[in-house]
Amino acid sequence: MEIKFTTCSPKETANLGERLGRAIKGKCTLAFLGDLGAGKTCFTLGLAKGLEYFGEANSPTFAIVNEYLGGRLPIYHFDMYRITSEDDLYSVGFYDYLEQNGVTVVEWSENVDYALPPDTVFIEITVAGESKRNIVIKSNGDNDFLKEI
Ligand code: ADP
Ligand code: MG
């Protein structure tokens, strides 16, 4: 399944993230593809809202993973920018997080493509102008909730 969107402001991108968050019913993995400044963190902040998480949320560039707890499902927000080996992945507990009943969100998923579950939902964000982003949400798995975005 593949769904395409275009957003014209950070707010619209966050709103799309929020709609996806609201559609999520259970455990899933979301993997971003997109350059620095594409809007991955912006989308994730909206997603957290859609999962009814209203606390603080920051891009985890320095922490590798941030946990947002207290919403409908726990959110595990990874930034894999500095992950260069599977050993690194084990040390941050990535595989343990995947087994939890939560939403695992992966920025810089390109760095860990071999470790992503087969039903991962990919969110590809391409810069199409100063404030314009093309966003493709796609999955090979059985992810019916995507129809509700
Ligand atoms: P990433 O996490 O992919 O590095 P961020 O979400 O941190 O990117 O930052 C995206 C940047 O792009 C922000 O400065 C934001 O204001 C800007 N921006 C401009 N237009 C958009 C848009 N349509 N969607 C998302 N971000 C946008
Ligand atoms: Mg980011």
Side-chain angles (χ1 to χ4, degrees):
M1 190 189 317
E2 181 172 301
I3 322 170
K4 294 182 179 175
F5 303 89
T6 297
T7 64
C8 295
S9 69
K11 191 169 188 307
E12 276 186 37
T13 297
N15 284 346
L16 179 59
E18 187 175 345
R19 277 157 56 196
L20 176 60
R22 265 191 250 125
I24 291 173
K25 301 292 184 297
K27 175 192 174 77
C28 63
T29 305
L30 310 177
F32 285 101
L33 305 168
D35 294 335
L36 186 69
K40 305 180 289 294
T41 298
C42 175
F43 189 103
T44 303
L45 299 183
L47 181 92
K49 211 170 150 196
L51 285 159
E52 291 159 43
Y53 171 82
F54 301 111
E56 285 278 307
N58 296 301
S59 187
T61 305
F62 298 103
I64 310 290
V65 58
N66 283 343
E67 298 185 21
Y68 311 139
L69 308 177
R72 282 197 293 115
L73 289 163
I75 302 167
Y76 309 120
H77 185 189
F78 282 86
D79 188 322
M80 300 301 192
Y81 192 70
R82 281 154 221 277
I83 298 287
T84 53
S85 71
E86 194 170 25
D87 278 354
D88 291 350
L89 267 189
Y90 278 107
S91 5
V92 298
F94 184 65
Y95 295 106
D96 301 322
Y97 280 102
L98 288 181
E99 284 175 17
Q100 301 297 311
N101 186 33
V103 179
T104 302
V105 178
V106 187
E107 295 198 41
W108 295 100
S109 66
E110 294 92 332
N111 287 355
V112 301
D113 48 5
Y114 55 85
L116 299 170
D119 62 349
T120 296
V121 174
F122 289 92
I123 303 163
E124 185 173 13
I125 309 183
T126 318
V127 178
E130 200 183 326
S131 314
K132 197 168 157 186
R133 303 291 187 265
N134 292 325
I135 303 179
V136 182
I137 299 179
K138 56 190 165 189
S139 175
N140 297 319
D142 186 15
N143 286 302
D144 273 352
F145 69 90
L146 294 179
K147 292 180 190 144
E148 286 173 37
I149 299 175

mmCIF file of all heavy atoms in Angstrom, residues 20-42:
data_model
loop_
_atom_site.group_PDB
_atom_site.id
_atom_site.type_symbol
_atom_site.label_atom_id
_atom_site.label_comp_id
_atom_site.label_asym_id
_atom_site.label_seq_id
_atom_site.Cartn_x
_atom_site.Cartn_y
_atom_site.Cartn_z
ATOM 1 N N LEU A 20 -2.074 10.151 11.298
ATOM 2 C CA LEU A 20 -1.513 8.791 11.342
ATOM 3 C C LEU A 20 -1.549 8.262 12.771
ATOM 4 O O LEU A 20 -1.944 7.121 13.012
ATOM 5 C CB LEU A 20 -0.084 8.794 10.792
ATOM 6 C CG LEU A 20 0.668 7.461 10.873
ATOM 7 C CD1 LEU A 20 -0.053 6.363 10.099
ATOM 8 C CD2 LEU A 20 2.099 7.594 10.340
ATOM 9 N N GLY A 21 -1.163 9.114 13.716
ATOM 10 C CA GLY A 21 -1.172 8.713 15.126
ATOM 11 C C GLY A 21 -2.551 8.260 15.575
ATOM 12 O O GLY A 21 -2.703 7.253 16.253
ATOM 13 N N ARG A 22 -3.572 8.998 15.144
ATOM 14 C CA ARG A 22 -4.942 8.655 15.535
ATOM 15 C C ARG A 22 -5.376 7.333 14.924
ATOM 16 O O ARG A 22 -6.148 6.588 15.520
ATOM 17 C CB ARG A 22 -5.911 9.758 15.105
ATOM 18 C CG ARG A 22 -6.171 10.760 16.223
ATOM 19 C CD ARG A 22 -7.324 11.677 15.889
ATOM 20 N NE ARG A 22 -6.834 13.018 15.651
ATOM 21 C CZ ARG A 22 -7.045 13.740 14.555
ATOM 22 N NH1 ARG A 22 -7.763 13.248 13.563
ATOM 23 N NH2 ARG A 22 -6.539 14.937 14.452
ATOM 24 N N ALA A 23 -4.840 7.032 13.736
ATOM 25 C CA ALA A 23 -5.236 5.790 13.044
ATOM 26 C C ALA A 23 -4.566 4.552 13.656
ATOM 27 O O ALA A 23 -5.079 3.439 13.503
ATOM 28 C CB ALA A 23 -4.886 5.898 11.556
ATOM 29 N N ILE A 24 -3.471 4.733 14.333
ATOM 30 C CA ILE A 24 -2.722 3.593 14.880
ATOM 31 C C ILE A 24 -3.490 2.941 16.027
ATOM 32 O O ILE A 24 -3.924 3.613 16.950
ATOM 33 C CB ILE A 24 -1.307 4.040 15.347
ATOM 34 C CG1 ILE A 24 -0.462 4.397 14.117
ATOM 35 C CG2 ILE A 24 -0.635 2.950 16.171
ATOM 36 C CD1 ILE A 24 0.895 5.001 14.446
ATOM 37 N N LYS A 25 -3.653 1.615 15.897
ATOM 38 C CA LYS A 25 -4.445 0.881 16.895
ATOM 39 C C LYS A 25 -3.583 0.022 17.810
ATOM 40 O O LYS A 25 -4.015 -0.392 18.861
ATOM 41 C CB LYS A 25 -5.456 -0.046 16.182
ATOM 42 C CG LYS A 25 -6.432 0.674 15.270
ATOM 43 C CD LYS A 25 -7.401 1.538 16.071
ATOM 44 C CE LYS A 25 -8.446 2.195 15.197
ATOM 45 N NZ LYS A 25 -7.871 3.130 14.221
ATOM 46 N N GLY A 26 -2.384 -0.300 17.387
ATOM 47 C CA GLY A 26 -1.542 -1.184 18.203
ATOM 48 C C GLY A 26 -0.101 -1.094 17.756
ATOM 49 O O GLY A 26 0.272 -0.220 16.962
ATOM 50 N N LYS A 27 0.679 -2.014 18.269
ATOM 51 C CA LYS A 27 2.110 -2.095 17.999
ATOM 52 C C LYS A 27 2.451 -1.906 16.518
ATOM 53 O O LYS A 27 1.844 -2.543 15.661
ATOM 54 C CB LYS A 27 2.520 -3.499 18.451
ATOM 55 C CG LYS A 27 3.917 -3.949 18.198
ATOM 56 C CD LYS A 27 3.910 -5.464 18.465
ATOM 57 C CE LYS A 27 5.214 -6.117 18.117
ATOM 58 N NZ LYS A 27 6.243 -5.874 19.133
ATOM 59 N N CYS A 28 3.391 -1.037 16.221
ATOM 60 C CA CYS A 28 3.850 -0.900 14.845
ATOM 61 C C CYS A 28 5.220 -0.223 14.809
ATOM 62 O O CYS A 28 5.666 0.341 15.803
ATOM 63 C CB CYS A 28 2.843 -0.136 13.979
ATOM 64 S SG CYS A 28 2.564 1.547 14.501
ATOM 65 N N THR A 29 5.854 -0.322 13.650
ATOM 66 C CA THR A 29 7.150 0.332 13.448
ATOM 67 C C THR A 29 7.023 1.299 12.284
ATOM 68 O O THR A 29 6.539 0.933 11.213
ATOM 69 C CB THR A 29 8.248 -0.709 13.121
ATOM 70 O OG1 THR A 29 8.257 -1.692 14.155
ATOM 71 C CG2 THR A 29 9.627 -0.060 13.029
ATOM 72 N N LEU A 30 7.437 2.539 12.500
ATOM 73 C CA LEU A 30 7.401 3.566 11.462
ATOM 74 C C LEU A 30 8.832 3.985 11.178
ATOM 75 O O LEU A 30 9.574 4.350 12.101
ATOM 76 C CB LEU A 30 6.612 4.784 11.953
ATOM 77 C CG LEU A 30 5.221 4.539 12.555
ATOM 78 C CD1 LEU A 30 4.631 5.854 13.047
ATOM 79 C CD2 LEU A 30 4.296 3.907 11.514
ATOM 80 N N ALA A 31 9.235 3.919 9.917
ATOM 81 C CA ALA A 31 10.619 4.240 9.554
ATOM 82 C C ALA A 31 10.633 5.412 8.591
ATOM 83 O O ALA A 31 9.982 5.389 7.543
ATOM 84 C CB ALA A 31 11.278 3.024 8.904
ATOM 85 N N PHE A 32 11.383 6.458 8.937
ATOM 86 C CA PHE A 32 11.485 7.625 8.070
ATOM 87 C C PHE A 32 12.630 7.486 7.083
ATOM 88 O O PHE A 32 13.700 6.979 7.413
ATOM 89 C CB PHE A 32 11.733 8.882 8.903
ATOM 90 C CG PHE A 32 10.517 9.365 9.617
ATOM 91 C CD1 PHE A 32 10.334 9.098 10.954
ATOM 92 C CD2 PHE A 32 9.540 10.079 8.935
ATOM 93 C CE1 PHE A 32 9.204 9.545 11.619
ATOM 94 C CE2 PHE A 32 8.407 10.534 9.589
ATOM 95 C CZ PHE A 32 8.240 10.264 10.933
ATOM 96 N N LEU A 33 12.390 7.996 5.883
ATOM 97 C CA LEU A 33 13.434 8.173 4.886
ATOM 98 C C LEU A 33 13.391 9.652 4.535
ATOM 99 O O LEU A 33 12.319 10.188 4.258
ATOM 100 C CB LEU A 33 13.142 7.335 3.633
ATOM 101 C CG LEU A 33 12.929 5.831 3.862
ATOM 102 C CD1 LEU A 33 12.372 5.172 2.601
ATOM 103 C CD2 LEU A 33 14.241 5.169 4.259
ATOM 104 N N GLY A 34 14.514 10.318 4.584
ATOM 105 C CA GLY A 34 14.501 11.748 4.259
ATOM 106 C C GLY A 34 15.675 12.460 4.882
ATOM 107 O O GLY A 34 16.136 12.100 5.962
ATOM 108 N N ASP A 35 16.141 13.486 4.193
ATOM 109 C CA ASP A 35 17.348 14.212 4.605
ATOM 110 C C ASP A 35 17.129 15.041 5.859
ATOM 111 O O ASP A 35 16.009 15.226 6.313
ATOM 112 C CB ASP A 35 17.792 15.147 3.467
ATOM 113 C CG ASP A 35 18.246 14.356 2.257
ATOM 114 O OD1 ASP A 35 18.670 13.197 2.433
ATOM 115 O OD2 ASP A 35 18.150 14.909 1.130
ATOM 116 N N LEU A 36 18.212 15.587 6.341
ATOM 117 C CA LEU A 36 18.182 16.537 7.456
ATOM 118 C C LEU A 36 17.306 17.721 7.059
ATOM 119 O O LEU A 36 17.445 18.253 5.958
ATOM 120 C CB LEU A 36 19.620 17.004 7.727
ATOM 121 C CG LEU A 36 19.829 17.890 8.942
ATOM 122 C CD1 LEU A 36 19.606 17.087 10.219
ATOM 123 C CD2 LEU A 36 21.236 18.457 8.934
ATOM 124 N N GLY A 37 16.382 18.083 7.936
ATOM 125 C CA GLY A 37 15.513 19.220 7.667
ATOM 126 C C GLY A 37 14.314 18.879 6.798
ATOM 127 O O GLY A 37 13.547 19.767 6.407
ATOM 128 N N ALA A 38 14.111 17.602 6.498
ATOM 129 C CA ALA A 38 12.963 17.212 5.668
ATOM 130 C C ALA A 38 11.656 17.399 6.435
ATOM 131 O O ALA A 38 10.650 17.851 5.879
ATOM 132 C CB ALA A 38 13.113 15.758 5.220
ATOM 133 N N GLY A 39 11.681 17.071 7.723
ATOM 134 C CA GLY A 39 10.461 17.210 8.528
ATOM 135 C C GLY A 39 10.118 15.970 9.344
ATOM 136 O O GLY A 39 8.984 15.827 9.802
ATOM 137 N N LYS A 40 11.074 15.095 9.557
ATOM 138 C CA LYS A 40 10.839 13.837 10.278
ATOM 139 C C LYS A 40 10.426 14.103 11.729
ATOM 140 O O LYS A 40 9.470 13.517 12.225
ATOM 141 C CB LYS A 40 12.102 12.951 10.243
ATOM 142 C CG LYS A 40 12.606 12.683 8.823
ATOM 143 C CD LYS A 40 13.847 11.818 8.800
ATOM 144 C CE LYS A 40 15.120 12.480 9.294
ATOM 145 N NZ LYS A 40 15.586 13.589 8.427
ATOM 146 N N THR A 41 11.156 15.005 12.370
ATOM 147 C CA THR A 41 10.833 15.302 13.770
ATOM 148 C C THR A 41 9.495 16.026 13.868
ATOM 149 O O THR A 41 8.667 15.711 14.725
ATOM 150 C CB THR A 41 11.968 16.126 14.416
ATOM 151 O OG1 THR A 41 13.159 15.332 14.381
ATOM 152 C CG2 THR A 41 11.654 16.483 15.854
ATOM 153 N N CYS A 42 9.284 16.949 12.955
ATOM 154 C CA CYS A 42 8.013 17.684 12.888
ATOM 155 C C CYS A 42 6.830 16.710 12.779
ATOM 156 O O CYS A 42 5.841 16.804 13.516
ATOM 157 C CB CYS A 42 8.089 18.597 11.660
ATOM 158 S SG CYS A 42 6.619 19.513 11.272
#
